[in-house]
Amino acid sequence: MNYLRSFIPWLVFAAVSSAGWQWGALAGLVTAAALLVADRAAGLSLDCRLLEYGTILFFAALSVLAFARPDSGLQGYGSALSTGWLALIAWVSIAAQRPFTMGIARRMAPSEVWHTPLFRRINVVLTAAWALSFTLTALAQTAVSAYHGNVIYSIVIQIAGFVLPIRFTAAYPERARARFMENSGARNDIQGDMAS
């Protein structure tokens, strides 16, 4: 559920946009800023918060555009734009060696594992899975918007774009830890054989 908390501003945007995309963008901006302030008040470090900063930047820019040009043709591409921006955030966070999932994972993992290679590796893989899902979702949403597809297609694509990486995120860390422990045990056995 900690992963869902980071996407609350995007869910607010989707829900409020039915009253007007400018109001959805403003609601997303206010929600994102409030969550970041709440994190700071709770004593959480603001490093590794590329997702949160990127979310605020997106909704600030979208709010300006949507209020300045409420009839812009980009309005019909709101889902594609937002998911594409999430993809960009995810890929940039990997390139910057600060995978966005690390900020979320630190809420759940003990601080003594935060700087281990395994913790970093798990978060790079998880962020890559999210980035790939966001990229494919944005491309599919662009096609649906460009060809004026039924809103049902857009909803199904959006749900799949979140459900698949959520499922992967739920399963992968434990598999990676088990594989690491298995490999560590094998290495320890080899080292023990060599010492004797």
Side-chain angles (χ1 to χ4, degrees):
M1 293 313 262
N2 281 313
Y3 280 89
L4 293 181
R5 182 184 188 282
S6 298
F7 296 113
I8 289 173
W10 302 93
L11 298 172
V12 168
F13 167 65
V16 178
S17 287
S18 61
W21 73 315
Q22 64 272 40
W23 300 112
L26 186 59
L29 175 60
V30 169
T31 304
L35 288 171
L36 194 62
V37 168
D39 282 351
R40 190 65 192 140
L44 295 173
S45 169
L46 295 183
D47 66 337
C48 291
R49 299 273 185 232
L50 194 56
L51 175 61
E52 288 80 357
Y53 296 131
T55 297
I56 290 171
L57 180 63
F58 176 82
F59 285 124
L62 189 63
S63 294
V64 170
L65 172 67
F67 278 102
R69 302 268 326 268
D71 58 342
S72 169
L74 290 177
Q75 180 179 0
Y77 291 87
S79 292
L81 286 171
S82 60
T83 312
W85 185 258
L86 284 168
L88 181 64
I89 291 171
W91 291 120
V92 167
S93 76
I94 292 170
Q97 298 182 1
R98 293 189 175 277
F100 86 82
T101 58
M102 215 168 346
I104 300 165
R106 285 182 175 181
R107 293 175 179 271
M108 300 174 278
S111 59
E112 57 268 11
V113 302
W114 291 359
H115 302 289
T116 63
L118 178 61
F119 185 77
R120 176 167 290 285
R121 175 72 183 142
I122 287 171
N123 281 285
V124 167
V125 171
L126 292 178
T127 300
W130 282 94
L132 179 62
S133 182
F134 290 148
T135 301
L136 295 175
T137 300
L139 292 171
Q141 292 287 23
T142 300
V144 168
S145 295
Y147 293 105
H148 307 290
N150 190 312
V151 70
I152 296 299
Y153 296 133
S154 183
I155 292 169
V156 168
I157 290 165
Q158 201 68 41
I159 290 171
F162 276 88
V163 168
L164 295 174
I166 285 172
R167 291 181 58 104
F168 180 75
T169 298
Y172 177 74
E174 193 53 46
R175 287 194 335 247
R177 281 190 288 272
R179 191 175 323 120
F180 175 79
M181 295 305 288
E182 183 179 299
N183 290 342
S184 293
R187 267 186 249 129
N188 289 340
D189 288 346
I190 290 170
Q191 289 172 350
D193 290 343
M194 291 174 72
S196 53

